[in-house]
Amino acid sequence: MTRKNAVRMFAILIVLGFTTFFAFQANSQTVNAFIEAIESIPSAPDTAPEAYNGPQTVKGLMNAFDAAYNQKFSKAKVIALCDGGVVYSSELAIRGEIDARYSRVEWLQMLLKRGITIEDFDDYRLYLTKRHTLAFLEDNPDLREIGFLGMPLMDDREAYKVAYIDKLVAKRVEDHKKQMERAKKRIESAKERIARARQQPNLKQVEHARKQIEHATKQLRRAQEALEHFQNPTPPQQPNRNMRKKSPYPPL
């Protein structure tokens, strides 16, 4: 695949958690851009719920999001663009290929066990498709050998998978902490606006600032609860043997 074709292909995709453009060099190998993306089916109906308030269990999450995930997306692609026109790429179908390699049930169980919470469809999409990036790293030893994406150097595939999950957890924790800080700043800023508006007085501005405080307080509370969840994550689920006949996926 040429660099031109890779960029053209990227243009039709939905970008996932992060698309990083950078220079990462080790052992004379320079990666200039890293892309995680998922291909959307244009005619797919938007059936995913806007939010999720159910239990943080594999069964609850799959009941809420899995059908919409299957209907909306066809395949995921991961690309690393290097100097000299070298392109590393991976493309796996959403159903079948990647599920055979990393079961959705087991993948979600690992994430929940480590304390990650999935709050909406975007979270579900993001974390299921992270399986494709792990497969990409495992299938490209040249990138593994330079510690690409800050991954440790190791040959044990199971240990490598655990280290990859560690990275996802660390990123999630950092995101929640940043969300808390942003919410606190919005609350303080709104309080200052209320104080100024009362001096004028301007009841409309006071009411608007109060709504901002209410919204930011909810965001702060969700981030705090999510961080607390890392201390007391979802316990492993007991297998349900009765699901084997009804589900295409491994039993919960």
Side-chain angles (χ1 to χ4, degrees), residues 8-152:
R8 183 184 298 117
M9 177 188 68
F10 166 65
I12 66 173
L13 302 175
I14 295 176
V15 182
L16 286 176
F18 57 86
T19 300
T20 308
F21 293 87
F22 60 99
F24 182 96
Q25 185 169 4
N27 298 341
S28 301
Q29 177 75 288
T30 301
V31 181
N32 296 311
F34 176 63
I35 301 164
E36 296 173 304
I38 186 169
E39 186 167 327
S40 181
I41 301 173
S43 59
D46 190 3
T47 58
E50 294 183 1
Y52 178 73
N53 298 313
Q56 289 291 315
T57 62
V58 175
K59 184 177 181 180
L61 292 167
M62 292 186 73
N63 285 344
F65 298 124
D66 213 54
Y69 183 76
N70 289 334
Q71 291 175 352
K72 191 171 181 63
F73 304 117
S74 59
K75 53 190 171 183
K77 301 180 182 183
V78 185
I79 305 168
L81 306 178
C82 306
D83 280 349
V86 178
V87 178
Y88 295 90
S89 66
S90 174
E91 176 180 316
L92 292 172
I94 290 298
R95 303 184 69 177
E97 293 178 86
I98 195 66
D99 286 332
R101 189 159 176 175
Y102 304 114
S103 156
R104 295 188 197 192
V105 170
E106 293 176 359
W107 187 259
L108 289 169
Q109 281 177 335
M110 283 191 297
L111 295 176
L112 296 175
K113 184 178 179 181
R114 292 295 306 277
I116 284 180
T117 55
I118 295 178
E119 300 175 359
D120 51 34
F121 184 64
D122 280 343
D123 278 349
Y124 191 80
R125 166 181 62 86
L126 171 66
Y127 281 110
L128 273 191
T129 314
K130 286 295 183 181
R131 299 176 298 170
H132 295 256
T133 302
L134 176 58
F136 169 79
L137 292 171
E138 290 181 339
D139 293 343
N140 288 282
D142 290 347
L143 295 178
R144 285 207 318 275
E145 289 172 4
I146 65 173
F148 184 55
L149 297 182
M151 288 293 294

Side-chain angles (χ1 to χ4, degrees), residues 188-201:
E188 291 303 316
S189 178
K191 287 180 178 179
E192 292 174 2
R193 289 197 299 275
I194 288 176
R196 290 194 299 268
R198 282 175 174 170
Q199 292 175 357
Q200 296 180 1

Side-chain angles (χ1 to χ4, degrees), residues 228-247:
E228 291 172 359
H229 191 67
F230 282 99
Q231 303 299 322
N232 299 286
T234 302
Q237 294 176 305
Q238 295 299 321
N240 184 349
R241 304 301 179 186
N242 295 329
M243 289 191 65
R244 182 169 298 173
K245 297 179 180 180
K246 301 178 181 180
S247 173

